[in-house]
Amino acid sequence: MFLVERLESLITTGRKLPGTKSVIIDRDSALGFIDELRVTIPEEVRAAKRINAEGERIVERAEEQAERIVARAQEQAAFLIDEQGLTQAAEEQARQLLAAAESDAADTRRGADDYAISVLASLEDEVAKQLQAIKRGIELLDRRRSGARAEPNPIDQHDEAGGDYGDYEESPRQIARP
């Protein structure tokens, strides 16, 4: 976000062209910021992978704990059957312990999944915002470079919620730079 703010500052402090909404900015500085963003975004993806791996480890630990609880329940049931001859009571207690262990494991798994989904969704939103800012910056620079002033900006076609860009499907890699 710091890099996006720096790019925005570069654009807002650029020299204004009389009679237009356009400004002149230092091309090398803008491209430098864009390159820094390209380096930063993969780090965010790596962070998401680490979070996902942590969620998987939490699930594995929950499953191991459930297995230990089940084993303990089976041992208790065997003890009750051998020592007291209470077959029905032992079976019922084993079923209860097994159900409790499965419920605990399922709750832990759901919690880990919910956390991972929340973090990944947040990361997806941030990456999408950064990509939109990059596209707007590239489009502005490209329009300035080509001298196009009267053409509508396809990036301005998105809705307030950060939605659709209309027919604009050009990626930053498709824009030719001198």
Side-chain angles (χ1 to χ4, degrees), residues 4-16 21-25 30 33 133 136-138 140-141 144:
V4 171
E5 289 169 4
R6 283 179 45 202
L7 180 58
E8 182 180 32
S9 174
L10 177 70
I11 292 170
T12 58
T13 59
R15 193 174 45 157
K16 294 187 179 207
K21 291 183 179 182
S22 298
V23 294
I24 296 174
I25 62 170
F33 291 139
R136 285 191 296 268
I138 290 171
L140 177 66
L141 293 172
R144 251 191 245 133

Side-chain angles (χ1 to χ4, degrees), residues 49-65:
K49 287 180 181 178
R50 284 192 303 267
I51 290 167
N52 194 24
E54 180 63 25
E56 288 175 7
R57 282 193 295 275
I58 291 170
V59 169
E60 287 174 10
R61 282 190 295 230
E63 289 173 347
E64 289 171 1
Q65 183 179 9

Side-chain angles (χ1 to χ4, degrees), residues 7 11 25 30-31 34 130-144 153 155 175:
L7 180 58
I11 292 170
I25 62 170
L31 292 176
I34 291 169
Q130 290 179 3
L131 183 59
Q132 289 171 2
I134 290 169
K135 285 181 179 180
R136 285 191 296 268
I138 290 171
E139 176 64 18
L140 177 66
L141 293 172
D142 192 48
R143 282 189 293 122
R144 251 191 245 133
N153 182 355
I155 292 182
I175 297 175

Side-chain angles (χ1 to χ4, degrees), residues 23-38:
V23 294
I24 296 174
I25 62 170
D26 180 52
R27 180 178 178 265
D28 291 336
S29 294
L31 292 176
F33 291 139
I34 291 169
D35 287 342
E36 288 181 53
L37 284 169
R38 282 193 184 113

Side-chain angles (χ1 to χ4, degrees), residues 32-110:
F33 291 139
I34 291 169
D35 287 342
E36 288 181 53
L37 284 169
R38 282 193 184 113
V39 170
T40 303
I41 289 173
E43 177 56 36
E44 299 296 333
V45 171
R46 283 191 291 275
K49 287 180 181 178
R50 284 192 303 267
I51 290 167
N52 194 24
E54 180 63 25
E56 288 175 7
R57 282 193 295 275
I58 291 170
V59 169
E60 287 174 10
R61 282 190 295 230
E63 289 173 347
E64 289 171 1
Q65 183 179 9
E67 289 173 7
R68 284 193 302 272
I69 291 171
V70 168
R72 194 169 8 134
Q74 289 172 341
E75 289 172 4
Q76 256 185 339
F79 173 78
L80 289 174
I81 289 171
D82 289 344
E83 294 296 314
Q84 299 173 3
L86 302 173
T87 304
Q88 283 184 331
E91 289 175 352
E92 180 59 30
Q93 189 175 7
R95 280 192 293 274
Q96 289 173 355
L97 287 171
L98 181 60
E102 290 172 350
S103 175
D104 287 347
D107 289 344
T108 302
R109 198 175 300 119
R110 271 192 302 277

